[in-house]
Amino acid sequence: MNRQPNSGAAAGFARLDSEPFPVFAPGSVWLVGAGPGAPGLMSLLCYHALQSSDVVVYDALVNPAILDWVRPGTKLEYAGKRGGKPSAQQRDISLRLIELAQAGKRVLRLKGGDPFMFGRGGEECQHLVKAGIPFRIVPGITAGIGGLAYAGLPSTHRDTNHSVIFLTGHDASGNMPANVNWQAVATASPVIVMYMAVKNLAEIADALLAGGRDPQDPVTVISHATLPQQSVLETKLGEVRSFLAARELATPAIVVLGRIAEWRAILDWYQGALRENPLG
Ligand code: SAH
């Protein structure tokens, strides 16, 4: 049976105030994924958190348009790069979250995509646990799935993509991660979705080719996924070096390896009139 809307409830977002969402208790931290960019892709719990927090500590990757959804008076604190100085240290961010919570604030730690997908959410939670701060995780749509959808690429498909590997293209020091078994990864899955991979892309392509991946395998680079300035470029694994030499890739970008790229020709729904809608 179709679910009926609550009779008499106000339409739209105002309704959330009367919904039984969890209470954001003073002195607690909510680690929330804002989604890949388009505000429409945030969850209702994310919206609820924006409406009930005292302070939002946000990352560079969070679309500023999402911060417009806080209630008036909420304090916004940036935890990314400041005026050209290096990124705030991860430890400093965790300590700041603890300090704010201990001061009795409702602390919303807002991250791009999903907080546990290459987002250091786990590390921040470890610090909160140690300090005895109560916390909640609100998952978000990760760029490596939502971004692909906006480029017309289904992450899985029964005909072509029966498994997906998510990996990061750089480690804590910015180098190509040494603890990824590139030889094994190269042929393990028809789809490899790479985060933070632009800087080391030439080396990564070499490692995958050395591991036996087909040089003809398509590479799709999705920049500013889900946003009006989204761009999608395509090349082949064996041609990555010349592709990179010819252009500067816009970041943030997700790099997708695999024949999944072929779906784009028929499923590319976003880059047209729809991109004019700021909520995505
Ligand atoms: N927690 C985030 C990922 C953080 S790591 C998530 O779940 O999406 C940062 C990397 O995410 C970037 O280097 C890029 O590879 C990817 N990314 C995040 N937002 C993106 C976007 N809008 N478009 C393309 N790539 C994005």
Side-chain angles (χ1 to χ4, degrees):
M1 203 175 82
N2 287 339
R3 195 176 140 79
Q4 298 299 316
N6 292 340
S7 58
F13 282 100
R15 245 195 78 197
L16 290 187
D17 297 335
S18 59
E19 291 287 327
F21 280 103
V23 172
F24 201 152
S28 68
V29 176
W30 283 20
L31 220 87
V32 179
L41 295 177
M42 79 171 94
S43 68
L44 292 182
L45 256 185
C46 175
Y47 172 75
H48 169 61
L50 286 167
Q51 287 286 306
S52 19
S53 59
D54 298 309
V55 52
V56 179
V57 181
Y58 64 98
D59 273 353
L61 272 180
V62 172
N63 180 0
I66 285 180
L67 300 171
D68 291 345
W69 294 68
V70 297
R71 77 190 152 127
T74 308
K75 219 176 136 236
L76 299 177
E77 271 193 33
Y78 184 43
K81 291 195 173 82
R82 282 157 227 240
K85 291 192 197 133
S87 298
Q89 293 296 312
Q90 189 57 50
R91 206 181 122 72
D92 294 344
I93 297 171
S94 298
L95 291 178
R96 181 66 181 144
L97 297 178
I98 292 166
E99 182 181 50
L100 287 165
Q102 284 173 341
K105 305 285 184 214
R106 286 166 291 198
V107 187
L108 169 47
R109 175 69 174 118
L110 193 61
K111 290 172 169 287
D114 180 274
F116 276 2
M117 195 68 156
F118 303 121
R120 300 188 188 164
E123 290 165 53
E124 290 176 18
C125 287
Q126 280 171 275
H127 283 101
L128 296 174
V129 169
K130 259 199 214 146
I133 306 286
F135 65 91
R136 167 180 284 268
I137 315 292
V138 179
I141 296 177
T142 189
I145 294 179
L148 269 61
Y150 271 60
L153 304 180
S155 305
T156 72
H157 192 291
R158 283 200 298 180
D159 294 344
T160 48
N161 334 331
H162 52 267
S163 73
V164 185
I165 289 175
F166 296 103
L167 60 80
T168 170
H170 74 61
D171 60 17
S173 61
N175 297 319
M176 187 169 130
N179 53 2
V180 169
N181 182 342
W182 295 98
Q183 181 84 24
V185 159
T187 52
S189 174
V191 183
I192 303 180
V193 175
M194 294 176 253
Y195 293 69
M196 297 174 274
V198 168
K199 183 170 157 257
N200 299 324
L201 190 54
E203 275 178 89
I204 292 170
D206 288 348
L208 293 171
L209 288 166
R213 190 83 181 198
D214 182 356
Q216 289 305 312
D217 231 14
V219 173
T220 311
V221 181
I222 312 163
S223 301
H224 300 293
T226 79
L227 296 171
Q229 68 270 35
Q230 171 174 308
S231 65
V232 181
L233 295 171
E234 293 177 32
T235 183
K236 301 220 180 297
L237 189 61
E239 291 162 22
V240 159
R241 278 189 177 273
S242 53
F243 170 78
L244 290 173
R247 63 187 54 72
E248 189 91 351
L249 293 179
T251 57
I254 285 283
V255 179
V256 188
L257 175 63
R259 285 188 42 212
I260 178 180
E262 289 164 14
W263 291 109
R264 189 168 151 67
I266 38 175
L267 300 182
D268 178 25
W269 59 274
Y270 179 56
Q271 284 181 294
L274 282 175
R275 66 199 293 184
E276 300 305 321
N277 184 337
L279 289 185

